[in-house]
Amino acid sequence: MKQHLTVVDHPLVQHKLTLMREKDTSTASFRQLLREISHLLAYEVTHELPVTTKHIETPMCPMDAPVIEGKKLVLVSILRAGNGLLDGILELVPAARVGFVGLYRDEETLKPVQYYFKVPKNLEDRTVILVDPMLATGNSSAAAVDLMKEAGARDIRFLCLLAAPEGVARMKEAHPDVPIITAALDDHLNEKGYIVPGLGDAGDRMYGTK
Ligand code: URA
């Protein structure tokens, strides 16, 4: 994966994203759409995963057939909104290892504060996909990548639903080696650090906490 930013403009992704953006979409529908979209984004983010072969027998003959090196993949959710993407991707790649990074955004400074960190071992040998639906200021995303690199990860990708130009620029400056895959690049951030037009607070919309 060479490009720094990939926007997945598949019509199914765009259609589902529009439904998610609508303010009257229910919590249940929002969650279901996120689950569906995460499958489609997972398809994109995994398309260069290393493949190995397994010796099998078809009803016709033996063969060496391709399989993903599932244990090589680590999905890391940036809590709490990342869990929506994580759950959908795990349905497609159930053998993946999973990590969690707890960061909340200080509403005044907009800077990330860490409260939880638990990731699998031997990250240097694995592909890490960091998931967070919203790449807004990029502060928490860049901090999460810092933590992953400190823990040994070398091959990292960042998967989100919406990205703001400010967040993409921040990530490019801090981590030019980390490709970003998103369903849309939105217009800008507002003064509170929300993506515009965006979809509001992803965690609140996913869990009905507002
Ligand atoms: N986090 C969200 O949930 N929404 C935004 O628009 C920005 C950050």
Side-chain angles (χ1 to χ4, degrees):
M1 201 173 294
K2 288 163 203 85
Q3 253 172 270
H4 185 250
L5 179 70
T6 301
V7 178
V8 183
D9 59 359
H10 190 288
L12 275 173
V13 171
Q14 295 306 313
H15 180 87
K16 289 177 194 299
L17 181 58
T18 297
L19 298 177
M20 292 181 78
R21 286 183 190 273
E22 281 189 283
K23 65 178 172 47
D24 293 329
T25 295
S26 70
T27 300
S29 301
F30 189 92
R31 265 207 295 263
Q32 176 61 24
L33 287 160
L34 181 58
R35 189 165 157 258
E36 292 167 6
I37 240 178
S38 65
H39 292 166
L40 298 163
L41 293 175
Y43 180 82
E44 185 69 33
V45 78
T46 55
H47 91 275
E48 285 181 6
L49 280 186
V51 171
T52 181
T53 56
K54 176 186 181 187
H55 192 73
I56 62 166
E57 289 193 24
T58 78
M60 311 302 292
C61 65
M63 75 175 285
D64 291 319
V67 285
I68 290 177
E69 290 185 48
K71 291 198 178 102
K72 288 252 175 215
L73 188 66
V74 177
L75 304 172
V76 178
S77 168
I78 302 181
L79 297 170
R80 71 181 159 152
N83 284 12
L85 280 174
L86 170 71
D87 292 345
I89 301 172
L90 273 177
E91 288 174 10
L92 289 192
V93 200
R97 304 292 172 94
V98 177
F100 294 95
V101 179
L103 293 170
Y104 68 85
R105 185 164 64 157
D106 184 302
E107 290 301 331
E108 277 181 15
T109 63
L110 302 184
K111 292 264 159 30
V113 183
Q114 182 191 330
Y115 63 90
Y116 190 74
F117 187 75
K118 185 84 182 170
V119 295
K121 292 194 170 59
N122 305 327
L123 288 180
E124 43 290 318
D125 303 328
R126 306 178 191 273
T127 296
V128 173
I129 302 178
L130 264 173
V131 297
D132 187 350
M134 311 300 269
L135 174 55
T137 60
N139 288 335
S140 52
S141 312
V145 175
D146 284 336
L147 290 170
M148 296 314 301
K149 287 184 175 173
E150 281 164 27
R154 288 193 296 248
D155 176 13
I156 307 173
R157 297 147 204 219
F158 188 89
L159 179 66
C160 59
L161 199 54
L162 291 186
E166 294 89 336
V168 172
R170 170 89 176 88
M171 282 286 276
K172 190 165 189 177
E173 183 199 347
H175 300 292
D177 56 315
V178 175
I180 299 165
I181 297 92
T182 184
L185 179 62
D186 270 12
D187 195 60
H188 66 280
L189 291 180
N190 71 10
E191 66 289 349
K192 290 191 168 156
Y194 279 86
I195 299 177
V196 181
L199 50 71
D201 187 296
D204 282 345
R205 297 209 55 196
M206 200 181 299
Y207 296 117
T209 42
K210 203 159 198 176

